[in-house]
Amino acid sequence: MAGLATVFGSGAMTNSIAEVENNDALFVIGSNTTENHPIVALRMKKAAEKGAKIIVADPRKIPLVKFAALWLRQRPGTDVALLNSMMHVILEEGLEDKRFIEERTEGFEAFKAAVKEFTPEYAEKITGVPKEDIIKAAKIYASAGKAGIYYTMGITQHSMGTNNVYSVANLAMLTGNLGRESTGVNPLRGQNNVQGSSDMACAPTVLPGYQKVTDEAARAKFESVWGRPVPSKVGMTATEMTGAMIDGSLKALYIMGENPLLSDPNMGHTTNALKNLEFLVVQDIFLTETAELADVVLPAASFAEKDGTFTNTERRVQRVRKAIDAPGEALDDLEIICRLSLRMGFDLCLNTPEDAFLEAGSLWPALAGMTYRRINDNGLHWPCPTSDHPGTPYLFHGTFPKGKATFTPVPFVKSKELPDDEYPFVLTTGRVLFQYHTGTMTRRSKALEAVAPEAFVEINTADAENLGISTSDMVSVTSRRGEIKLKAKVADKVGPGVVFIPFHYKEAAANILTNDALDPVCKIPEAKVCAVRLQKA
Amino acid sequence: MIDLTIDGRDISVPEGTTVLDAARLLNLDIPTLCHDPRLKPYGGCRLCIVELEGVPRPVTACTTPVAGGMVVTTESEQLYRLRRTVIEFLLSDHPNDCMVCQRAGDCTLQELAYFYGLRDNRFWGERRRYDKEDANPFIKREMEKCILCAKCVRVCGEVQAVGAIDLAYRGFNAKVCPPYEKDLDCEFCGQCVAVCPTGALTGKVWEAQGRQKDVKYTETVCPYCGCGCNITLHSVRNRVIRVSSRENTLNEGWLCSKGRFGFEFINKPDRLRTPLIRRRKDGPLEPASWDEALGLISSRFEGIKKEHGPDALGGLSSARCTNEENYAFQKFFRTVIGTNNIDHCARY
């Protein structure tokens, strides 16, 4: 999100889900939408039926390809080359939106110079996508009246993830597909409340509402409401904390509702880091793999046992309501935090969920116009600054929060670890339809587990033939960081030289293999590309 | 706009509106079994028949577009008899096992039989029998209860764009099935279950868990991906027994397999029920009271802060927790611990 915030002054999905079905063109890159955002995908399919053209750019032949006018199979980690080349074509053909560029953007000339070398021929060599298809994609996207871009972790989980995001934003700016209905740059959020937890600033650089901790005026505002000093030093990101645990400078960690042991790249490294802590507190609904390492485990309430709000991927704030009581002595997270705080001598003064909601709204104007009563029926999209504001389904109408949006010249940077003789395959990771994240919730469902019970590695037919591997054979997959054994699924969903493993399964955890190389700006790890070798086990 | 008269009342509606939709704007209750406003008109069940002035035979309101000057009658003795006969036909080979049917009390066919007082049936005869049980883990398919309205087939094709099932065979032998009558093997979104007007399609996960008696309904938001689908939790005596979704929401009532069927974790016996503490290094995690657990955390956090400074502590929050909890968590770290070492794993 750091990427979009830099470009526009706000980092979130620009347009709403309902608008998807009225797009004229959809560019879906690095998002397996039908499996990871099934309900957004329904709108995409509807758009296609209404005549919209879908362009899918993905190393895997994902289910959405069936509905696409064009599918580009780029090599993992080569998105910038593909995007830059599409923009090269758009400029060559004169399909850019000159008025939009002139009136609403800055930095165009430097950007234009940066894409000059990305001819379709050059990009074909890097990405493996035929140059004719690059030209076709550029024309479809740029000549549509209303075109939206949709992406997820396939764009961001790279060591150059922020560059990828800049590049996606450049494409939308170049064609003026911003600030209007059914257009935009739309990162689809992978978890129910990613947007909300970002907004609420469980982040080391910002206070709630993306107000910088280094900004004295912002700190003063929070201090006056909180009645305590707010630290001005930027904190560590999750991935930096892992490093600090290894070097011993981070002594204690309090984890609320996460299972980083399974979800973070390079699992061996994460385990060592957590074990090196002096004191680990984990608060969760189950004894997760991470909780098993804790010194204290606190039992929390699930979503069905508490009141509050979630903010979905389209910035819509919606009510979560309590249906049943939590089991045993489990408490909701809000109450646990307040009790602990009181024990440590400070009353957070957040006695009910709505107290916390209203306090956040008093400190962040985008939420100021919302109350539980106002969002009761269908929620509201932020920004919603006043009590009579209808909310904002799409952003940037007329202007950007920072005035003009900024083009960023983006060079092509290779992934940190590429295949070589020893590790000849590229491994990319993701989810499957019937499981979710580390499986804490879905793997406890008999039905879901029955249809997706075990890990597998997708191997291209030609590669499998060379290695003498058939579907259901046990295969050992090895990277520089570890080895797992799992069943092979031979099909042409992945291209030659590429393998895919879902990361849900602890018994064959993909993140034992993945690389924890970081993006230099937002410190996201490179879960989507690393080098592995395969062997029949 | 098109002007017409329905049951003596004048109404003006946009061109292309169906007679059924126009009548519903007037709050007139025309019965339907195969109609769903989210699907294309089908005209299969023949219950929505109405009379048009100047047209000799009744027409289906769901497939008839309005025309200027149309005079529509939605209720008459003849219409009543025709509708009643249609329902009687549907019931003539229906297993009357409402006593044990999952959908009793929430079944359109049962409601219609009730309103039309259909206890006896002039057409009792041969029954369809489908003994084969579908082994898929999500959806129970009792095809002898199917009235062939094809809503499931249409939602699977029109909305989900999967096409896992279709109508096969003809006449009395007609049935809905996957290709070659194999077991269902699809995305298991359960959209078909959600639109089925009878007990033909139900969720195996909520079988015999409760129908309506003592059920509490709670409107909330799905805990899985970022779509933010609105769901309704059905709970009985502190157990969540089923998930459904209303039509007038951002997800239009549609859900995926996780959202619709993946709620079992809430009631699992291995949920954490008390705080756990490791009382000695490398010892086991043992149950403790809240007082002991919070006391230990408080003293360890304070000790580490005193010795190494506030930046020796860090917090990781969750994209699965509420806004309010995330707000409180960062406020706690910034005010009580005194550090900005706080992040969540999906910030990107």
Side-chain angles (χ1 to χ4, degrees):
Chain A
M1 280 312 107
L4 286 189
T6 312
V7 177
F8 303 134
S10 171
M13 191 163 159
T14 60
N15 290 57
S16 70
I17 295 172
E19 292 168 51
V20 173
E21 65 180 70
N22 295 321
N23 288 7
D24 299 320
L26 294 88
F27 184 36
V28 182
I29 180 164
S31 158
N32 180 5
T33 324
T34 48
E35 295 197 65
N36 290 323
H37 297 88
I39 302 303
V40 174
L42 294 187
R43 302 269 186 181
M44 291 181 172
K45 294 174 190 172
K46 205 163 173 183
E49 205 198 285
K50 285 177 163 182
K53 287 195 168 141
I54 299 180
I55 310 159
V56 171
D58 203 291
R60 296 172 72 216
K61 190 171 181 181
I62 55 172
L64 194 63
V65 170
K66 208 167 86 183
F67 305 89
L70 184 63
W71 169 42
L72 314 174
R73 170 177 266 174
Q74 79 276 37
R75 294 190 183 107
T78 63
D79 306 278
V80 162
L82 175 65
L83 290 159
N84 274 352
S85 184
M86 282 173 65
M87 293 187 273
H88 174 99
V89 174
I90 290 168
L91 286 165
E92 283 285 293
E93 303 269 340
L95 293 170
E96 74 273 26
D97 185 336
K98 295 185 182 75
R99 200 171 142 198
F100 185 89
I101 296 166
E102 173 66 30
E103 289 173 4
R104 301 198 51 187
T105 68
E106 60 191 16
F108 177 66
E109 289 306 322
F111 152 79
K112 192 176 169 185
V115 298
K116 197 161 172 45
E117 63 172 313
F118 287 88
T119 59
E121 292 76 18
Y122 175 54
E124 177 174 342
K125 278 189 203 124
I126 302 174
T127 62
V129 178
K131 63 174 196 251
E132 297 77 21
D133 285 350
I134 297 177
I135 296 169
K136 219 159 133 187
K139 286 184 179 169
I140 293 174
Y141 176 80
S143 38
K146 293 176 290 181
I149 306 175
Y150 302 87
Y151 68 90
T152 61
M153 295 294 179
I155 279 291
T156 55
Q157 275 184 349
H158 293 276
S159 55
M160 65 321 219
T162 305
N163 275 353
N164 288 348
V165 173
Y166 287 147
S167 209
V168 165
N170 285 343
L171 180 60
M173 285 188 271
L174 183 64
T175 50
N177 276 306
L178 283 163
R180 287 184 291 133
E181 235 175 85
S182 301
T183 62
V185 175
N186 298 291
L188 303 173
R189 304 308 205 126
Q191 299 177 47
N192 56 348
N193 201 30
V194 176
Q195 189 61 52
S197 44
S198 306
D199 298 345
M200 290 302 122
C202 281
T205 53
V206 289
L207 291 157
Y210 308 95
Q211 306 174 69
K212 292 198 164 64
V213 295
T214 48
D215 176 351
E216 204 178 318
R219 283 203 313 278
K221 181 166 82 172
F222 280 83
E223 283 165 357
S224 73
V225 172
W226 290 352
R228 280 224 172 168
V230 173
S232 60
K233 190 182 149 201
V234 166
M236 286 185 272
T237 62
T239 36
E240 286 169 327
M241 283 188 220
T242 311
M245 291 179 230
I246 296 275
D247 74 29
S249 55
L250 194 75
K251 309 279 183 199
L253 187 65
Y254 180 1
I255 303 178
M256 171 170 85
E258 283 291 352
N259 188 11
L261 197 65
L262 220 53
S263 61
D264 287 6
N266 197 351
M267 195 163 148
H269 185 67
T270 314
T271 311
N272 290 337
L274 291 170
K275 282 187 172 161
N276 213 26
L277 283 166
E278 270 182 31
F279 191 60
L280 174 63
V281 179
V282 175
Q283 183 167 313
D284 214 312
I285 61 173
F286 290 106
L287 194 66
T288 61
E289 292 74 20
T290 308
E292 279 172 25
L293 299 178
D295 297 284
V296 180
V297 179
L298 300 176
S302 78
F303 83 106
E305 296 144 4
K306 62 192 177 191
D307 283 295
T309 56
F310 288 151
T311 306
N312 77 347
T313 185
E314 52 167 1
R315 295 170 284 102
R316 192 196 292 250
V317 183
Q318 305 191 98
R319 279 283 276 117
V320 175
R321 294 181 186 86
K322 179 176 166 150
I324 56 171
D325 294 324
E329 294 173 37
L331 297 173
D332 64 71
D333 296 292
L334 181 62
E335 181 159 2
I336 299 173
I337 300 159
C338 288
R339 281 196 192 187
L340 177 62
S341 187
L342 211 53
R343 188 79 180 223
M344 294 181 73
F346 185 64
D347 185 352
L348 289 175
C349 294
L350 306 171
N351 295 322
T352 67
E354 195 166 14
D355 285 350
F357 186 76
L358 293 175
E359 187 176 299
S362 74
L363 289 160
W364 182 32
L367 220 55
M370 295 190 203
T371 59
Y372 276 12
R373 172 175 268 194
R374 277 202 77 197
I375 61 171
N376 192 52
D377 293 337
N378 289 306
L380 283 167
H381 297 90
W382 67 249
C384 174
T386 55
S387 60
D388 57 354
H389 192 284
T392 313
Y394 68 91
L395 299 175
F396 313 146
H397 180 75
T399 183
F400 292 96
K402 62 186 281 263
K404 287 188 168 184
T406 315
F407 276 104
T408 318
V410 181
F412 171 64
V413 181
K414 286 183 186 155
S415 303
K416 283 280 167 352
E417 187 180 87
L418 287 171
D420 52 23
D421 290 345
E422 203 182 345
Y423 299 97
F425 289 91
V426 174
L427 165 67
T428 187
T429 63
R431 293 181 184 161
V432 298
L433 174 64
F434 298 109
Q435 297 284 1
Y436 178 72
H437 227 61
T438 65
T440 307
M441 285 146 61
T442 46
R443 300 203 72 192
R444 282 179 170 80
S445 156
K446 273 199 285 293
L448 293 170
E449 187 68 0
V451 288
E454 56 185 0
F456 57 86
V457 50
E458 270 174 22
I459 310 172
N460 181 273
T461 318
D463 291 333
E465 207 166 292
N466 287 339
L467 293 163
I469 294 170
S470 343
T471 291
S472 294
D473 283 352
M474 286 303 280
V475 175
S476 86
V477 184
T478 317
S479 80
R480 287 182 176 84
R481 290 153 296 277
E483 179 190 358
I484 60 173
K485 285 191 173 65
L486 68 179
K487 275 190 185 162
K489 200 181 245 185
V490 178
D492 291 332
K493 203 166 177 180
V494 287
V498 179
V499 295
F500 168 85
I501 301 177
F503 72 94
H504 312 289
Y505 301 92
K506 64 179 166 193
E507 59 276 20
N511 281 325
I512 287 176
L513 307 171
T514 49
N515 193 352
D516 51 351
L518 298 183
D519 176 87
V521 180
C522 76
K523 318 288 182 191
I524 191 169
E526 186 148 63
K528 292 294 184 228
V529 178
C530 78
V532 296
R533 71 165 174 258
L534 305 179
Q535 209 169 13
K536 202 166 158 175
Chain B
M1 298 295 274
I2 309 277
D3 297 319
L4 69 158
T5 309
I6 307 178
D7 290 352
R9 291 161 70 185
D10 293 336
I11 185 171
S12 187
V13 291
E15 197 182 336
T17 307
T18 63
V19 172
L20 181 66
D21 288 339
R24 289 196 168 164
L25 286 174
L26 289 171
N27 225 0
L28 294 170
D29 182 31
I30 299 177
T32 58
L33 271 167
C34 74
H35 181 72
D36 188 303
R38 298 165 295 178
L39 302 174
K40 289 179 191 146
Y42 187 63
C45 75
R46 320 309 287 181
L47 278 175
C48 68
I49 45 171
V50 294
E51 290 162 359
L52 301 183
E53 202 175 85
V55 177
R57 280 188 297 184
V59 298
T60 48
C62 71
T63 54
T64 307
V66 293
M70 217 178 223
V71 178
V72 184
T73 304
T74 72
E75 274 185 64
S76 71
E77 203 170 311
Q78 195 207 1
L79 287 175
Y80 182 86
R81 270 192 292 113
L82 286 171
R83 285 175 187 152
R84 193 174 188 278
T85 305
V86 167
I87 303 160
E88 207 174 348
F89 276 129
L90 289 173
L91 289 169
S92 68
D93 71 337
H94 193 84
N96 282 328
D97 67 348
C98 300
M99 288 287 231
V100 292
C101 181
Q102 181 67 39
R103 288 295 296 274
D106 177 33
C107 169
T108 318
L109 187 62
Q110 194 188 39
E111 275 307 277
L112 289 167
Y114 166 79
F115 278 113
Y116 285 81
L118 280 159
R119 179 180 286 272
D120 295 322
N121 199 308
R122 289 170 288 164
F123 312 112
W124 286 126
E126 196 187 341
R127 286 270 193 86
R128 294 171 296 165
R129 286 195 65 101
Y130 302 112
D131 296 327
K132 184 175 165 289
E133 217 178 281
D134 194 313
N136 85 78
F138 297 92
I139 299 169
K140 189 166 180 185
R141 302 175 64 237
E142 295 175 89
M143 286 299 110
E144 61 274 22
K145 295 181 186 173
C146 173
I147 56 162
L148 300 170
C149 68
K151 270 180 161 181
C152 54
V153 174
R154 290 180 289 142
V155 78
C156 193
E158 289 175 28
V159 174
Q160 201 67 20
V162 166
I165 43 175
D166 207 340
L167 288 158
Y169 308 106
R170 316 207 61 149
F172 190 71
N173 296 319
K175 61 170 147 178
V176 173
C177 58
Y180 306 106
E181 296 187 50
K182 287 186 172 165
D183 287 347
L184 202 55
D185 179 15
C186 61
E187 294 181 1
F188 297 114
C189 61
Q191 256 59 294
C192 53
V193 176
V195 297
C196 180
T198 73
L201 299 173
T202 52
K204 287 185 177 175
V205 189
W206 56 80
E207 193 178 353
Q209 300 287 311
R211 293 188 287 202
Q212 287 87 44
K213 192 175 179 329
D214 299 331
V215 172
K216 189 177 120 188
Y217 302 91
T218 310
E219 297 299 329
T220 189
V221 178
C222 178
Y224 285 105
C225 78
C227 291
C229 295
N230 290 207
I231 57 173
T232 307
L233 297 178
H234 303 217
S235 59
V236 179
R237 283 177 290 282
N238 221 40
R239 279 180 66 82
V240 174
I241 56 161
R242 185 182 160 185
V243 168
S244 63
S245 182
R246 291 173 299 131
E247 286 168 33
N248 57 342
T249 58
L250 76 95
N251 48 300
E252 302 176 298
W254 311 131
L255 296 172
C256 71
S257 58
K258 295 183 285 274
R260 195 181 300 280
F261 299 114
F263 57 87
E264 249 175 297
F265 74 91
I266 303 168
N267 305 321
K268 280 281 158 172
D270 63 336
R271 280 283 303 275
L272 290 167
R273 305 174 72 86
T274 67
L276 303 171
I277 282 183
R278 206 180 300 279
R279 289 195 171 83
R280 57 192 159 77
K281 190 99 183 127
D282 299 323
L285 282 165
E286 296 167 292
S289 68
W290 275 105
D291 190 55
E292 187 186 2
L294 293 180
L296 177 63
I297 298 170
S298 158
S299 69
R300 293 298 305 272
F301 278 3
E302 265 158 11
I304 290 168
K305 184 178 159 182
K306 208 165 178 183
E307 198 177 335
H308 304 284
D311 291 335
L313 293 98
L316 285 182
S317 167
S318 171
R320 237 113 43 214
C321 294
T322 63
N323 288 326
E324 293 75 6
E325 289 159 349
N326 275 293
Y327 179 81
F329 193 72
Q330 60 86 34
K331 186 178 178 185
F332 168 77
F333 265 89
R334 291 184 161 122
T335 56
V336 179
I337 306 291
T339 181
N340 285 314
N341 284 344
I342 162 157
D343 203 359
H344 65 91
C345 91
R347 56 192 296 262
Y348 319 99

